[in-house]
Amino acid sequence: MDDTLEEKAKDFLSPDNSYTDKAGFESALANIYLTIRTDMYANSDSPDNFDMLGGDVDFAAKQVSKTTWNEYFYWNTLNADSNFAEKWWTRFYNWIYQANTIIDRADDDGASWDSDDDKNAIIGEAKFLRAWAYHFLANMWGGVPLVLEETTSAKFDYSRATQEEVYQQCKDDLEYAVQWMPTVDELKGGRAPRAAAWHLLSEVDICLEDYDGAITAASKVIDDSNFYLMTERFGQWTDFQFNGYDYRGEYETWGDVYWDLFQEGNMNWLEGNHEAIWNVEFDVNTLGGGNNSDGGNFVLERWWGGPVAWGLSDINGVTNFLKDTLGGRPIGLIAYGGSTSAWTPVNYTDSIIWEYKDDWDRDIRNSKYNIQRTYYWTNPASKFYGEPITIENTSAPSTNYIYNPACFKKAIPAVHHGLFTDSSSGQGHDGGGIFKDWYLMRLPETYLLRAEAYFRKGESEKAAADINIVRSRAQATSVTAGDIDLDLILDERARELYMEEFRLSTLMRMGKLQEYLMKYNSAVISKSYNLDDHINKLPIPNSEIEANKDAVLEQNTGY
């Protein structure tokens, strides 16, 4: 072909002129982080944003009334046309595609590097992100196709690697990453540090039954002086005063150290939080910062931030007020009001996990600062101003509705930015959006991964010691070696990591999904479903099987 007819990008970005220097590769990495933030938390104004976090599993449900729930996954009829399975399969492979492009092009002749260290650090970070995607695929589907090079043309003959081969690839990528990724004190924030790779390697080694490797990897984070559990109050909110959820009491210093962990301005390592390993970042009034047309919709408060108590009317027709401080604009169900699409804690996370060792009043994670269970009339014009909302004082009362659903306050800002003003109360709110730098990885999970590895290795005393480090900060009763099993570890993860851990992936990794659905999923229990263990893995999407016309992409058993 005549070279004069060959198109060369000069006034627009293309792969050929973007991957030429460190800045270009960092921009490509930034795009993966943006994609992860959007996919995991901020794709739309919808509860579906949080469908990896335990909704319609064992953490929360879409409650319709005291005895009925809407389904999200439809576990009893889940099949290979599942929108959820197709959505996340596509998303994970999109992350992999982007990471592969960076890895391959870093060695191209057109890429200019000041040093091999710069190049290796970029490749290491991309390999970490590739492993992050593949570990989800292995946990949730088992064996999947391994794609390790940039995709430049259509391909129709993919075949599945084994689950062990996928985990081994994750391990290979992570062992490279931990050599070259920058440490947390070398980063500006938003990017994963080397400790994140060690943390993920610990989980992957558990999956490979390399428990010594898992213990070593977790210890690399735990023993890093950059990271430690926050055991004293810290950050911007230690002097915060509040007069209680009825908004009529005496003002008092509000919060505890666990509450501090979830306040805006406190959640990032750069903000002095030394148990934050890796966060997604959101910033108000910043282009691309979140909750706007450029930054997505981190609407955790709206869809998982408690009931719509502010929208109820009392028996005299007086409408309750929306309140700014520790209130906001959630829309969950309460007493004949609210959305039946919002997530509400199930019995397991509302009460069962807090009754362990009679710690209801001891464990600070269950304190009044961190979970609200009583809601009040907040309009001074109401006869019931300052009193709890009950069946007796609510309009359209019914014994079939809930009046005291648990609200985990980690989803609610202490004070909102006032992007909107409520027309009735005049109080500010942010439309159900929040601007917290949400955790992807936090140090207590590292301790719990090491505890799991110790337990699986047969060293329950050491497992108990690690779990007690987490429980001690929460002022919870210590556990003993005889208490330790996988259920206790999962319960402790629920107590510490509710709304944080990717619970669906965790239960699938541990082969516990079917069991926990049968024990704790409100819809499954109420409808007497009898699920079998094929549900511990998702179906390969039919769309992928049908498109793969030149080879057989085997379906998972049971689908």
Side-chain angles (χ1 to χ4, degrees):
M1 183 178 73
D2 188 341
D3 287 346
T4 61
L5 298 179
E6 184 178 350
E7 185 180 79
K8 294 182 180 180
K10 294 183 177 181
D11 59 355
F12 62 91
L13 291 176
S14 73
D16 290 330
N17 66 16
S18 298
Y19 298 96
T20 58
D21 57 19
K22 181 180 178 181
F25 282 93
E26 286 182 332
S27 293
L29 285 171
N31 191 66
I32 303 180
Y33 286 116
L34 174 60
T35 304
I36 289 172
R37 188 186 77 166
T38 300
D39 288 348
M40 289 293 194
Y41 304 103
N43 186 64
S44 62
D45 185 2
S46 164
D48 299 3
N49 279 343
F50 317 114
D51 57 10
M52 288 279 286
L53 302 182
D56 198 22
V57 182
D58 64 334
F59 274 10
K62 295 186 174 186
Q63 192 150 12
V64 177
S65 73
K66 189 178 289 186
T67 56
T68 55
W69 294 263
N70 282 333
E71 295 185 67
Y72 178 75
F73 289 102
Y74 297 93
W75 293 111
N76 200 41
T77 57
L78 185 71
N79 58 54
D81 292 316
S82 160
N83 290 333
F84 175 86
E86 182 176 19
K87 176 179 74 172
W88 281 105
W89 178 281
T90 302
R91 286 176 173 180
F92 294 142
Y93 274 107
N94 178 37
W95 304 355
I96 291 163
Y97 165 77
Q98 293 184 61
N100 284 341
T101 302
I102 292 170
I103 293 165
D104 285 0
R105 290 181 179 264
D107 281 320
D108 279 359
D109 292 339
S112 176
W113 298 99
D114 291 338
S115 69
D116 285 342
D117 285 358
D118 283 352
K119 180 181 75 170
N120 293 338
I122 292 290
I123 293 173
E125 197 165 349
K127 287 190 172 187
F128 162 76
L129 293 168
R130 182 168 71 181
W132 172 248
Y134 269 124
H135 104 281
F136 282 120
L137 286 163
N139 287 352
M140 296 165 65
W141 279 273
V144 297
L146 276 174
V147 184
L148 302 176
E149 297 178 349
E150 179 184 0
T151 303
T152 57
S153 61
K155 179 177 168 65
F156 305 102
D157 60 350
Y158 291 104
S159 60
R160 296 179 68 174
T162 66
Q163 184 182 46
E164 182 178 359
E165 288 169 339
V166 179
Y167 283 134
Q168 185 60 52
Q169 181 60 49
C170 293
K171 182 179 177 76
D172 293 345
D173 279 350
L174 292 167
E175 287 181 336
Y176 185 95
V178 296
Q179 296 179 61
W180 296 105
M181 287 176 70
T183 55
V184 68
D185 52 330
E186 297 173 320
L187 293 172
K188 295 180 180 179
R191 291 166 63 180
R194 184 180 302 174
W198 283 118
H199 175 105
L200 182 56
L201 181 57
S202 180
E203 180 180 332
V204 168
D205 275 338
I206 289 173
C207 297
L208 289 169
E209 300 183 6
D210 178 6
Y211 303 129
D212 286 328
I215 292 163
T216 297
S219 298
K220 289 288 187 179
V221 185
I222 292 166
D223 297 338
D224 184 337
S225 60
N226 284 310
F227 299 101
Y228 49 85
L229 293 189
M230 308 302 290
T231 56
E232 303 289 339
R233 296 210 60 187
F234 72 98
Q236 300 181 18
W237 299 89
T238 54
D239 296 326
F240 175 67
Q241 301 273 313
F242 184 48
N243 61 339
Y245 299 124
D246 61 359
Y247 300 91
R248 297 195 68 188
E250 294 293 326
Y251 278 88
E252 60 179 289
T253 300
W254 194 263
D256 52 36
V257 65
Y258 192 77
W259 185 86
D260 287 337
L261 286 167
F262 297 93
Q263 300 314 305
E264 187 175 339
N266 284 4
M267 296 182 72
N268 201 296
W269 190 90
L270 291 172
E271 296 164 338
N273 182 343
H274 285 269
E275 62 185 71
I277 298 174
W278 180 25
N279 306 70
V280 289
E281 294 193 341
F282 294 91
D283 295 287
V284 68
N285 297 326
T286 299
L287 186 64
N291 294 318
N292 54 52
S293 60
D294 297 293
N297 298 278
F298 188 28
V299 284
L300 189 62
E301 175 187 283
R302 178 194 294 272
W303 294 108
W304 208 341
V308 63
W310 54 271
L312 290 181
S313 295
D314 68 18
I315 56 175
N316 298 314
V318 178
T319 303
N320 214 20
F321 273 179
L322 178 151
K323 302 295 284 187
D324 174 0
T325 308
L326 288 169
R329 201 174 185 278
I331 61 172
L333 187 75
I334 182 174
Y336 201 68
S339 172
T340 55
S341 292
W343 297 117
T344 300
V346 299
N347 193 40
Y348 172 64
T349 48
D350 183 343
S351 58
I352 291 174
I353 58 174
W354 306 113
E355 293 165 349
Y356 182 63
K357 291 189 179 290
D358 295 323
D359 271 352
W360 186 279
D361 294 322
R362 277 190 293 267
D363 193 324
I364 67 170
R365 297 168 297 191
N366 192 44
S367 73
K368 67 179 182 180
Y369 308 124
N370 297 307
I371 301 180
Q372 178 183 359
R373 292 186 175 89
T374 303
Y375 304 89
Y376 297 86
W377 295 108
T378 55
N379 185 341
S382 172
K383 174 185 176 181
F384 307 102
Y385 179 46
E387 296 181 17
I389 296 169
T390 68
I391 188 172
E392 291 79 16
N393 58 29
T394 307
S395 63
S398 170
T399 57
N400 197 33
Y401 286 94
I402 53 175
Y403 292 83
N404 57 344
C407 169
F408 285 68
K409 303 306 282 190
K410 59 176 67 174
I412 311 293
V415 178
H416 294 76
H417 292 279
L419 301 182
F420 307 95
T421 301
D422 180 66
S423 58
S424 297
S425 67
Q427 295 268 304
H429 63 90
D430 297 332
I434 63 174
F435 298 89
K436 300 182 180 187
D437 292 345
W438 208 250
Y439 300 111
L440 288 163
M441 293 179 182
R442 189 161 62 86
L443 186 61
E445 185 180 18
T446 320
Y447 276 103
L448 295 176
L449 285 170
R450 192 170 73 173
E452 182 183 344
Y454 276 132
F455 169 72
R456 290 180 183 274
K457 188 185 175 188
E459 298 184 18
S460 292
E461 290 281 356
K462 292 181 179 178
D466 274 348
I467 292 171
N468 284 333
I469 289 171
V470 177
R471 290 180 62 80
S472 175
R473 191 267 297 278
Q475 299 177 22
T477 304
S478 295
V479 298
T480 67
D483 294 327
I484 308 301
D485 58 21
L486 292 181
D487 291 323
L488 173 66
I489 291 169
L490 282 167
D491 290 351
E492 197 61 38
R493 292 180 72 96
R495 283 183 281 265
E496 182 69 30
L497 303 170
Y498 185 81
M499 288 184 178
E500 295 175 69
E501 78 157 316
F502 301 102
R503 185 67 167 189
L504 181 62
S505 178
T506 298
L507 290 173
M508 287 183 156
R509 169 178 72 81
M510 297 174 73
K512 288 279 200 174
L513 177 62
Q514 179 264 351
E515 176 189 343
Y516 272 55
L517 290 174
M518 295 292 289
K519 287 199 300 187
Y520 301 126
N521 183 283
S522 301
V524 168
I525 293 168
S526 69
K527 296 179 181 180
S528 300
Y529 290 158
N530 185 21
L531 306 177
D532 62 49
D533 60 7
H534 84 273
I535 211 80
N536 286 322
K537 290 290 179 279
L538 290 173
I540 306 293
N542 265 338
S543 57
E544 296 295 319
I545 292 174
E546 292 168 359
N548 199 59
K549 62 184 180 63
D550 295 336
V552 175
L553 197 57
E554 302 255 351
Q555 182 57 273
N556 275 334
T557 302
Y559 297 105

